[in-house]
């Protein structure tokens, strides 16, 4: 079955530093990947749509200069949290869609980011 | 955008009991998925079910797209069923961009 790999699974960083999270589709090509954020005891909120070979599309209220997304190949999208602050601490989950219609979205295992 | 409402928000069961979780959505959908999020945060895809009925072991799901709701049935619940169950849908031009409900927190006691 389809597998989406996300790395790292958890990371602790200091305020002001940047953190990169990788999302890979392991056995299929994904022209579109999605990045979600989940705060404790809340639902998943879509942050942005990552499009291979073009700019990401950000949801309203998400700062594109703070959350840099790069989708350089059909199997890899990266999310970089720049100049992280404690309020960026959250659970970040990526998802990918196999390039065929009427198929489910597959999710990575998430990255728990803690900014101290 | 599309609205997704899940009920109940919390559910406590004794092991062996059956339960029904509901997902209402505000517009026609071209994708609906049910997920179980375990205590480690992993999202387990239970069903891809934009319409119709599916069964997988003790779990089954039904989506009545014309009436804009979906149901997830859990029979003979086990403690390992505990966690948050999310319904997520997409509509319009993209059937990939999912909007999540707020989830149902299920606790199964031994």
């Amino acid at each position: 079955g389809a597998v989406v790999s996300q790395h790292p699974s958890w990371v602790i960083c200091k305020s002001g530093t940047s953190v990169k999270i990788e999302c890979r589709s392991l056995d299929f090509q994904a022209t579109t990947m999605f990045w979600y954020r989940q705060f404790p005891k809340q639902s998943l909120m879509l942050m942005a749509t990552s499009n291979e070979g073009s700019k990401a599309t950000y949801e309203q209220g998400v700062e594109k200069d703070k959350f840099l997304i790069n989708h350089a190949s059909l199997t890899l999208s990266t999310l970089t949290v720049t100049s992280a602050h404690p309020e960026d601490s959250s659970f970040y989950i990526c998802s990918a869609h196999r390039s065929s219609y009427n198929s489910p979205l597959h999710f990575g295992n998430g990255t728990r980011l803690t900014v101290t | 955008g599309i609205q997704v409402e899940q009920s109940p928000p919390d559910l406590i069961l004794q092991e062996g009991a059956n339960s029904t979780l509901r997902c209402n959505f505000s517009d026609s959908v071209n994708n609906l998925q049910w997920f179980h999020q375990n205590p480690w945060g992993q999202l387990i895809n239970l069903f891809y079910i934009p319409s119709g009925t599916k069964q997988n072991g003790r779990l089954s799901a039904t989506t009545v797209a014309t009436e804009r709701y979906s149901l997830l049935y859990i029979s003979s619940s086990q403690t390992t069923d505990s966690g948050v169950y999310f319904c997520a849908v997409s509509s319009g031009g993209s059937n990939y961009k999912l909007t999540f409900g707020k989830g149902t927190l299920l606790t199964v006691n031994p």
Side-chain angles (χ1 to χ4, degrees), chain A residues 36 38 43 59 97 102 105, chain B residues 33 37 48 96-98 101:
Chain A
Y36 288 81
Q38 185 181 30
S43 187
E59 296 299 303
H97 185 262
N102 289 338
L105 210 57
Chain B
Q33 292 181 239
Q37 188 169 40
Y48 166 71
Y96 325 140
K97 189 174 169 179
L98 292 178

Side-chain angles (χ1 to χ4, degrees), chain B residues 73-94:
Chain B
Y73 304 97
I74 303 174
S75 64
S76 303
S77 58
Q78 301 175 358
T79 56
T80 52
D81 294 332
S82 296
V84 182
Y85 289 79
F86 287 107
C87 167
V89 305
S90 65
S91 66
S94 165

Side-chain angles (χ1 to χ4, degrees), chain B residues 19-98:
Chain B
S19 63
T20 301
L21 281 58
R22 187 177 179 99
C23 173
N24 292 333
F25 40 93
S26 61
D27 203 349
S28 58
V29 298
N30 46 28
N31 184 8
L32 188 148
Q33 292 181 239
W34 281 98
F35 298 92
H36 175 213
Q37 188 169 40
N38 65 23
W40 298 272
Q42 293 175 323
L43 275 179
I44 310 300
N45 185 32
L46 299 176
F47 293 102
Y48 166 71
I49 187 165
S51 64
T53 297
K54 291 185 178 179
Q55 181 160 4
N56 184 3
R58 296 182 295 105
L59 273 60
S60 63
T62 296
T63 297
V64 183
T66 53
E67 297 187 22
R68 299 182 184 172
Y69 73 89
S70 182
L71 302 174
L72 176 68
Y73 304 97
I74 303 174
S75 64
S76 303
S77 58
Q78 301 175 358
T79 56
T80 52
D81 294 332
S82 296
V84 182
Y85 289 79
F86 287 107
C87 167
V89 305
S90 65
S91 66
S94 165
N95 78 337
Y96 325 140
K97 189 174 169 179
L98 292 178

